[in-house]
Amino acid sequence: MPDVIDIAFTLNRRPVRLRARSDLRLLDLLRGDLRLTGAKEGCGKGECGACTVIVDGQAVDSCLMMAFQVDGSAVETIEGLAGDGLHPLQDAFIETGGVQCGICIPGMIMAGKALLDRDPQADADAIRGGLAGNLCRCTGYTKIFAAVARAAGRPAPHPRATATTPAAAPGFYRPRSLEEALEILAQRAGEARPVAGGTDVLVKAKDGQQSLGALFDLTGVPELKGIEERGGHLWIGAGATHAEMMASPLVAHHLPSLPQACAVIGGPQIRNRGTLGGNLANASPAADTVPPLYAADAVVELVSVSSRRNVPVGDFFTGPRQSVLVPDELIVGVRVPIRAGVRGCFLRLGQRQAQAISKVSVAVGMTFRDGRPDWVRVALGAVAPTVVRAWETEKALIAGGYEGLRRAREAVKSEVEPIDDLRSTRAYRREMAAVLLERAVRSVAEA
């Protein structure tokens, strides 16, 4: 039986303290225990955005958060939006006729609020990006985008919510240090499983592949956070979110292909929660953040109670959904050698532009001397049992020129091992690997 634990947080600017089951999702807590039914269960996998709420200023999918993960946080739902009258966003949706059924619209309004809180003068491109995690299958988005644009610049009825309630959850669910987290793994090896963003673990739970009863939260562990330069390396904590990596000037400068990869992962709600460590631990051959790490000679830092080891990213994965990570270890972070003048590009092909798993992905890293390549790395995802380095392709590119690019296109086709599946065919993936490679190389050369 799951435990019943104390949780305390600020909900719609009011303190809340209650007892909840440890296997409860935030969405279930809001709808079932608190009777706040504005957030809806659409897909239950973070694809539709109908369950969007705001946690500590960020739009998140409440179906992919455990209830105890908001302990000590500030949570906003659509029920708390209005002041003396409707919120400007709610007025704007009515004025533009953007209101549809009650399933999708509350989540869209909350995603719009999170965007305008951060960027009050958001333009059309920012609005489209801010609502990219909210899918409505009823109709188009023209009036919805117009509503958010209409609300831009209007004063909000109350200031942005902040957390004012001290955390109450016990430490074995929300450890506050790396030492505490490792102790949990050591004492409950094979039983307890860490969760951070939840964008993979809770999806598996929805499909019946994972229990929610033995999870503990890593988001309060400071040793897993941060992005900084350390002794000739760029260090990225395992707890760094995709949104944080996209916003980091250090990542953009030293590993430019990584924020490009992060930008195509899910929608804003997923990027606000999903972490680099989670993407690595998931060990999917289609993981978008992994090819840039291969193309940068990254090293994965692993730690347990009794040991610490550094594993080159190319040795970390052993097969689809398999890695060298053992049950009592955590990924602490990733180290990337700093190279002067490095350029990079990440490109992928999916079923659609957003909210899709890659059919093929390519990451390229290069440096140049006197206009010619003097260091080249190429990695591809979704074309083999793991992400792969394209060694022969790199040799062709280092020669430079059009002939080198032509030979690289042919080489990459022989270095991938794609399969036929529901998303694509072997032949198509092989051809597109060459096409994306050429586009990526040209982008890097012209940067």
Side-chain angles (χ1 to χ4, degrees), residues 7-250:
I7 302 174
F9 57 99
T10 303
L11 176 62
N12 294 328
R13 297 169 301 284
R14 295 181 179 179
V16 172
R17 186 182 179 102
L18 48 79
R19 306 204 79 203
R21 285 175 34 168
S22 61
D23 63 347
L24 209 60
R25 301 175 304 169
L26 175 59
L27 177 62
D28 302 323
L29 178 75
L30 294 173
R31 291 183 59 83
D33 293 37
L34 298 173
R35 298 293 189 267
L36 298 175
T37 57
K40 303 296 194 296
E41 174 106 41
C43 63
K45 296 184 178 182
E47 295 179 356
C48 71
C51 66
T52 300
V53 300
I54 299 174
V55 177
D56 294 332
Q58 294 187 320
V60 303
D61 294 310
S62 58
C63 72
L64 298 183
M65 282 190 73
M66 300 302 294
F68 63 78
Q69 288 188 289
V70 299
D71 185 49
S73 294
V75 179
E76 299 174 80
T77 71
I78 196 163
E79 288 85 354
L81 226 57
D84 294 333
L86 292 179
H87 188 279
L89 262 171
Q90 294 170 310
D91 276 332
F93 269 75
I94 295 171
E95 291 164 0
T96 61
V99 178
Q100 294 159 201
C101 76
I103 300 294
C104 300
I105 292 301
M108 290 181 169
I109 291 175
M110 296 307 293
K113 180 182 186 299
L115 170 66
L116 296 183
D117 283 349
R118 183 178 68 255
D119 183 6
Q121 303 296 336
D123 61 16
D125 287 341
I127 290 169
R128 284 192 290 270
L131 269 66
N134 296 76
L135 300 178
C136 181
R137 294 172 176 85
C138 296
T139 184
Y141 293 82
T142 301
K143 293 181 179 179
I144 292 166
F145 293 154
V148 179
R150 190 182 185 94
R154 292 188 183 182
H158 35 63
R160 180 172 166 177
T162 56
T164 59
T165 308
F172 56 84
Y173 281 101
R174 299 204 74 203
R176 297 297 175 177
S177 71
L178 181 59
E179 182 181 6
E180 289 182 8
L182 293 174
E183 288 284 349
I184 293 170
L185 280 180
Q187 294 169 7
R188 303 172 65 191
E191 175 194 353
R193 178 167 183 179
V195 62
T199 56
D200 178 65
V201 173
L202 271 71
V203 170
K204 290 181 178 179
K206 179 71 175 178
D207 291 336
Q209 302 173 22
Q210 168 73 46
S211 169
L212 297 181
L215 299 176
F216 68 97
D217 179 32
L218 295 176
T219 58
V221 177
E223 293 92 336
L224 305 183
K225 298 181 179 181
I227 300 171
E228 59 190 52
E229 293 181 359
R230 292 183 179 178
H233 290 81
L234 172 68
W235 185 83
I236 307 174
T241 66
H242 305 308
E244 289 169 343
M245 290 184 283
M246 287 171 59
S248 169
L250 287 176

Side-chain angles (χ1 to χ4, degrees), residues 242-420:
H242 305 308
E244 289 169 343
M245 290 184 283
M246 287 171 59
S248 169
L250 287 176
V251 177
H253 183 67
H254 296 305
L255 185 48
S257 60
L258 182 56
Q260 296 170 21
C262 293
V264 298
I265 294 175
Q269 294 92 323
I270 297 296
R271 296 193 290 269
N272 287 338
R273 294 290 299 170
T275 64
L276 180 62
N279 220 208
L280 286 166
N282 189 30
S284 168
D288 288 325
T289 63
V290 177
L293 298 179
Y294 269 70
D297 298 336
V299 173
V300 184
E301 298 180 352
L302 308 178
V303 65
S304 68
V305 167
S306 58
S307 68
R308 181 182 289 266
R309 57 183 178 138
N310 299 318
V311 181
V313 69
D315 297 332
F316 181 77
F317 304 99
T318 59
R321 305 284 181 178
Q322 298 175 340
S323 73
V324 300
L325 190 68
V326 297
D328 67 340
E329 281 183 317
L330 286 176
I331 301 171
V332 177
V334 169
R335 284 202 323 269
V336 174
I338 291 176
R339 291 183 175 86
V342 68
R343 305 180 194 176
C345 181
F346 174 87
L347 295 175
R348 75 160 192 174
L349 180 70
Q351 197 70 25
R352 53 182 185 262
Q353 290 185 351
Q355 301 276 49
I357 299 172
S358 292
K359 296 180 178 182
V360 184
S361 64
V362 175
V364 173
M366 301 177 74
T367 61
F368 293 82
R369 177 177 296 177
D370 299 327
R372 297 183 64 84
D374 69 345
W375 177 85
V376 177
R377 294 290 185 271
V378 176
L380 299 101
V383 290
T386 67
V387 171
V388 294
R389 272 277 302 277
W391 301 88
E392 295 303 317
T393 302
E394 293 171 0
K395 292 177 183 178
L397 290 172
I398 202 74
Y402 178 78
E403 178 60 20
L405 181 57
R406 186 195 65 78
R407 288 193 291 110
R409 280 187 55 121
E410 293 305 312
V412 78
K413 294 179 186 180
S414 64
E415 293 193 274
V416 298
E417 303 174 33
I419 61 171
D420 294 322

